[in-house]
């Protein structure tokens, strides 16, 4: 903490100047507990509780976190008024930095440690209830500097997707280079793996940011992953239910799933269940057994999808910062992808026709050639 309360009710900030060790005692503005001033050689001067039982604190503050919120306090001043460690009486929460602009008030949280998902969701809802827009900024240490990113279930909670934006993104910050890094998971291909784009800047983008082109090689990488999935990943124990369903009802092993399954869609980030798996459920439920020339009604496909969600076969991500979670977009995009590869044709809004049959006897070599051919017709833009 950088802000403390004196006995006379006035506040003392370690951000304003050099610490005065003998000017105490100091008290927590939130819980009233006694604080100690810590002045050392390595850490920036700060306050700490004698006892770790403050109801406004949920975690210990590391040097990285202290320096991060200090830098954010100064960097965000160009966007509006900033207040360090603002205490919200109604919700009994202490915000790292309160940012007040002409149009909105932001609760800026620099999140370095892992906290329970329930706590993050609860804090987010309470900020919204006080007309505060939660701006969660993750530590840059959480992300690797790679094109393939491992994103944990905890980190997915912090995904931003404003209603008027076309791109979901994470915001991270490093207090040492004083820059924000934006991570765009343009194609999450498994539960915790995604192809990403990223860029760093001194500017804060909250609701949108400059458009970026997808790398030309993403299709090749996806085909490589799908090949590994056919030979290895489909054998994992987590796919027992799908494996049993496909084999018992259709005599198909997961290694030989039709190439029409596993078509990338822009809204995959809504799905916790990996792309190939949820599309396999949907494909066999709604597409595979339908005769050529028959009508496929999109609302019926969505209804079947929602049934699989209720059964627990398909899981949707928890995304507290997304204003409107509409996972049915991914279903619609998959149906449109089937149009792009020539399996379906669109007659009118929500009405499709099956144009051809599906070769369920193709060998592995033929399937992988189809994977390569179909991906060329798919776009993530």
């Amino acid at each position: 903490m950088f802000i403390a309360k004196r006995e006379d009710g006035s506040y003392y900030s370690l951000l304003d100047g050099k610490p005065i060790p003998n000017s105490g005692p100091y008290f927590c503005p939130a819980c009233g507990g006694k604080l100690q001033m810590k002045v050392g050689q390595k850490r920036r001067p700060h306050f700490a509780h004698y006892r770790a039982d403050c109801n406004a604190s949920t975690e210990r503050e590391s040097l990285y976190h202290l320096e991060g919120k200090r830098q954010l306090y100064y960097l965000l001043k160009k966007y509006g008024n900033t207040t360090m460690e603002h205490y919200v009486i109604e919700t009994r929460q202490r915000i790292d930095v309160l940012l007040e602009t002409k149009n909105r008030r932001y609760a800026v949280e620099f999140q370095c440690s892992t906290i329970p998902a329930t706590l993050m969701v609860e804090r987010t809802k309470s900020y919204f209830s006080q007309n505060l827009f939660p701006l969660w900024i993750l530590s840059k240490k959480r992300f690797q500097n790679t094109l393939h990113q491992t994103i944990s279930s905890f980190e997915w909670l912090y995904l931003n997707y404003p209603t008027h934006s076309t791109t979901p993104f994470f915001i991270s910050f490093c207090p040492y280079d004083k820059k924000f890094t934006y991570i765009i998971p343009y194609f999450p291909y498994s539960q915790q793996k995604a192809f990403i784009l990223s860029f760093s800047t001194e500017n804060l983008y909250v609701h949108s940011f400059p458009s970026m082109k997808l790398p030309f090689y993403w299709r090749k990488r996806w085909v490589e992953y799908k090949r590994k999935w056919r030979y290895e990943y489909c054998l994992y124990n987590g796919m027992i239910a799908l494996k049993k369903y496909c084999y018992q009802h259709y005599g198909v092993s997961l290694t030989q799933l039709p190439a029409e399954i596993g078509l990338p869609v822009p809204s995959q980030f809504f799905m916790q269940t990996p792309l190939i798996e949820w599309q396999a459920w949907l494909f066999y439920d709604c597409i595979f057994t339908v005769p050529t020339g028959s009508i496929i009604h999109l609302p019926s496909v969505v209804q079947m999808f929602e049934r699989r969600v209720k059964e627990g076969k398909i899981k949707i991500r928890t995304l507290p910062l997304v204003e409107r979670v509409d996972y049915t977009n991914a279903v619609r995009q998959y149906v449109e992808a089937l149009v792009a590869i020539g399996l379906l044709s669109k007659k009118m809004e929500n009405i499709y026709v099956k144009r051809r049959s599906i070769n369920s006897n193709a060998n592995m070599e033929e399937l992988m050639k189809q994977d390569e051919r179909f991906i060329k017709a798919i776009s993530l833009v």
Side-chain angles (χ1 to χ4, degrees), residues 29-41:
C31 69
K34 197 170 183 180
L35 301 176
Q36 56 180 318
M37 181 189 290
K38 292 192 170 184
V39 182
Q41 297 296 319

Side-chain angles (χ1 to χ4, degrees), residues 119-248:
L119 177 59
M120 184 274 179
V121 173
E122 179 185 326
R123 287 170 66 179
T124 298
K125 288 180 179 178
S126 67
Y127 287 146
F128 278 125
S129 73
Q130 298 302 310
N131 201 28
L132 287 164
F133 188 90
L135 183 56
W136 292 90
I137 300 175
L138 292 171
S139 162
K140 189 181 178 183
K141 290 181 178 180
R142 286 189 165 273
F143 297 99
Q144 309 90 37
N145 188 25
T146 61
L147 299 173
H148 292 249
Q149 192 75 231
T150 298
I151 305 174
S152 68
S153 56
F154 171 76
E155 288 155 355
W156 274 111
L157 294 170
Y158 298 84
L159 186 74
N160 296 274
Y161 187 57
T163 51
H164 54 280
S165 173
T166 57
T167 307
F169 58 92
F170 300 96
I171 308 175
S172 69
F173 180 71
C174 176
Y176 302 132
D177 62 19
K178 302 178 185 179
K179 288 185 177 180
F180 299 97
T181 298
Y182 296 85
I183 297 93
I184 304 156
Y186 67 87
F187 181 31
Y189 55 90
S190 72
Q191 189 166 324
Q192 294 193 345
K193 297 282 189 179
F195 296 148
I196 68 156
L197 294 173
S198 66
F199 69 97
S200 297
T201 175
E202 295 178 353
N203 298 318
L204 175 66
Y205 298 106
V206 177
H207 303 292
S208 62
F209 50 80
S211 60
M212 298 180 68
K213 291 184 178 180
L214 299 186
F216 66 90
Y217 51 77
W218 76 266
R219 290 181 175 86
K220 180 181 178 182
R221 296 287 174 83
W222 171 241
V223 170
E224 291 171 355
Y225 173 82
K226 201 171 180 183
R227 183 180 293 112
K228 289 181 180 179
W229 192 93
R230 290 187 183 280
Y231 279 109
E232 179 183 351
Y233 302 152
C234 70
L235 303 177
Y236 290 177
N237 290 334
M239 300 188 198
I240 290 177
L242 179 61
K243 184 187 301 183
K244 184 177 179 180
Y245 177 77
C246 291
Y247 189 76
Q248 289 186 349

Side-chain angles (χ1 to χ4, degrees), residues 241-254 256-258 261 279-290 304 307-308 354 358-361:
L242 179 61
K243 184 187 301 183
K244 184 177 179 180
Y245 177 77
C246 291
Y247 189 76
Q248 289 186 349
H249 289 81
Y250 305 104
V252 177
S253 66
L254 295 187
Q256 293 182 299
L257 286 182
I261 296 171
Q279 288 187 4
W281 286 108
L282 206 58
F283 184 82
Y284 283 112
D285 283 338
C286 305
I287 309 293
F288 183 71
T289 57
V290 174
M304 180 58 72
R307 173 184 156 188
R308 290 299 185 186
K354 189 174 180 181
I358 293 122
N359 182 9
S360 57
N361 298 314

